[in-house]
Amino acid sequence: MSATTTFKSSISGLEFPKREKVLGISIRSSIVALIKNEHPNFDKDSSIAKSELNIYREKYISQFLKSEAGELSVLHKKIIKSLSEDKSFVSKVEDEIDNRTFGQKVADGVADFGGSWKFIILFFIFILVWIASNVFLLLNKGFDPYPFILLNLILSCLAALQAPVIMMSQNRQEEKDRERAKKDYMINLKSELEIRMLDEKLDHLIMHQQQELIEIQKVQIEMMNDILERIKK
């Protein structure tokens, strides 16, 4: 690369394309302070590459999260990694939450059916048919005469089995709610951090545009001075 298309980073001494150049004056003061901790000679006239700036942005975000949460958790590390890789959590939320085992799916299905009007109506019809068949058809001399001891045994067994299955489903639902809440927190935190980074990028863009306008004005002033000198002659 020629010298006109590259520049040398003030912190690493490496050459980068000129389009990657970022002046110190356009960088947020908090990140400049972070850079100065490692490179004391860095000032507003120094320049670094965008890729190098992104490294310090990630360090700044890590320090921000540490100051807020005390210590970086696995959750926070995932968020920082997703920021650097530009990955989204939204598409993964429902897939990860619905990653159920066969037993959990059976428990959810039993709980859904057991808590529906369909189950209540069918079970009520079953009890009526059982009582009617023993009292009226078999004249109370059938397989389960009054007081229907076998029916009571079946009902007791059903209640004993249904209760733990419903509890399993409730525990599964609580687990889903916790997982969903954790994902919501990760999405919200990532959005907050991305807004911070976007704000910084906008500041950099505005400063860069201002510098270009100043350069254009300087060139225009020089041209006007040349024209005035020619007129005087």
Side-chain angles (χ1 to χ4, degrees):
M1 290 187 182
S2 63
T4 57
T5 58
T6 62
F7 76 99
K8 186 176 287 186
S9 170
S10 301
I11 62 174
S12 64
L14 300 175
E15 288 193 353
F16 294 92
K18 210 158 189 177
R19 64 178 180 274
E20 295 287 320
K21 186 177 181 179
V22 181
L23 291 175
I25 194 173
S26 64
I27 303 174
R28 185 182 292 272
S29 58
S30 55
I31 298 181
V32 171
L34 193 62
I35 297 173
K36 282 187 174 182
N37 287 337
E38 298 181 10
H39 304 278
N41 295 327
F42 188 84
D43 56 24
K44 63 180 183 179
D45 296 323
S46 303
S47 57
I48 62 173
K50 288 181 181 178
S51 57
E52 294 175 321
L53 179 59
N54 286 335
I55 294 173
Y56 286 98
R57 283 172 177 164
E58 290 179 18
K59 288 182 180 180
Y60 171 72
I61 291 170
S62 299
Q63 289 187 0
F64 169 76
L65 291 176
K66 282 182 179 179
S67 64
E68 290 291 322
E71 187 65 30
L72 279 181
S73 63
V74 176
L75 204 66
H76 293 147
K77 290 177 181 177
K78 283 183 180 179
I79 294 170
I80 294 172
K81 185 178 179 182
S82 70
L83 282 170
S84 60
E85 296 177 355
D86 196 24
K87 289 183 178 179
S88 174
F89 290 119
V90 178
S91 59
K92 301 179 182 179
V93 173
E94 291 302 326
D95 293 339
E96 292 185 8
I97 288 175
D98 199 42
N99 189 18
R100 299 176 295 175
T101 63
F102 175 76
Q104 289 171 334
K105 289 180 180 178
V106 170
D108 289 345
V110 171
D112 290 340
F113 179 70
S116 65
W117 277 106
K118 183 179 180 181
F119 171 77
I120 294 173
I121 293 169
L122 289 175
F123 197 67
F124 185 69
I125 293 172
F126 168 75
I127 293 174
L128 287 179
V129 170
W130 185 286
I131 293 173
S133 61
N134 279 281
V135 173
F136 299 108
L137 295 179
L138 301 177
L139 301 176
N140 213 26
K141 295 178 181 179
F143 54 88
D144 188 25
Y146 182 83
F148 312 113
I149 296 173
L150 180 59
L151 179 61
N152 287 326
L153 177 62
I154 292 173
L155 293 176
S156 299
C157 291
L158 180 63
L161 291 173
Q162 194 177 25
V165 171
I166 291 174
M167 289 179 65
M168 287 168 59
S169 179
Q170 288 177 341
N171 292 335
R172 170 63 184 164
Q173 187 63 43
E174 290 176 1
E175 181 184 344
K176 286 168 67 177
D177 291 339
R178 285 195 299 270
E179 189 68 21
R180 187 174 283 110
K182 185 175 75 172
K183 294 293 181 184
D184 288 341
Y185 166 75
M186 292 172 71
I187 291 169
N188 291 335
L189 182 57
K190 183 182 177 184
S191 298
E192 179 186 349
L193 295 173
E194 283 183 333
I195 289 171
R196 284 172 174 265
M197 293 179 68
L198 182 60
D199 180 48
E200 182 193 335
K201 288 177 180 178
L202 286 173
D203 289 344
H204 165 67
L205 183 61
I206 292 169
M207 291 293 295
H208 184 66
Q209 288 177 342
Q210 287 176 346
Q211 290 167 4
E212 288 182 343
L213 288 174
I214 290 170
E215 291 295 325
I216 291 171
Q217 287 176 350
K218 287 180 179 179
V219 172
Q220 288 175 340
I221 290 170
E222 289 175 357
M223 291 174 68
M224 289 294 294
N225 289 333
D226 289 341
I227 293 170
L228 288 173
E229 286 178 3
R230 289 177 184 177
I231 292 172
K232 288 177 181 180
K233 291 178 180 180

